[in-house]
Amino acid sequence: MTRTHREVEVNVQLAPGMGAGVQQYARDKIAAVLGHTARPILFARVRLDQTRNPAADRPVTARGEVDLNGRVLHAEACADTPYEALDLLQDRLQARLDREHPTHAH
């Protein structure tokens, strides 16, 4: 079964203590990337982790995977907050999509 970006449920896994607002923000960010392709989308996943080390530089890591008709695009971004990490992740996934499929519709 092939689905478009409007039909795909983005699977979001959050580190403990991150709220529902972060989860919706993650879905919105990935949906924005998916809206730039007409290719079938098999799945989309985001995972947010946060280190417990208070001295860590950029303690939040966002990892994303999007399966476009069998071709999985991966990206990772680290930042000070979940929102910043998701912004960076969106940019990186979009850049990978642009490289993989330069003829997609904007």
Side-chain angles (χ1 to χ4, degrees), residues 36-97:
H36 289 270
T37 184
R39 295 179 63 87
I41 300 160
L42 303 182
F43 71 80
R45 261 192 301 254
V46 176
R47 180 178 171 155
L48 283 159
D49 293 306
Q50 188 163 7
T51 182
R52 296 178 193 261
N53 181 352
D57 186 38
R58 297 179 296 163
V60 178
T61 302
R63 292 178 182 89
E65 295 178 326
V66 175
D67 187 325
L68 298 173
N69 203 28
R71 175 75 172 121
V72 180
L73 304 180
H74 298 272
E76 182 174 307
C78 298
D80 292 328
T81 71
Y83 296 98
E84 290 176 74
L86 288 166
D87 289 344
L88 291 169
L89 180 65
Q90 177 188 15
D91 292 344
R92 291 181 182 167
L93 279 172
Q94 186 64 60
R96 281 177 177 69
L97 178 66

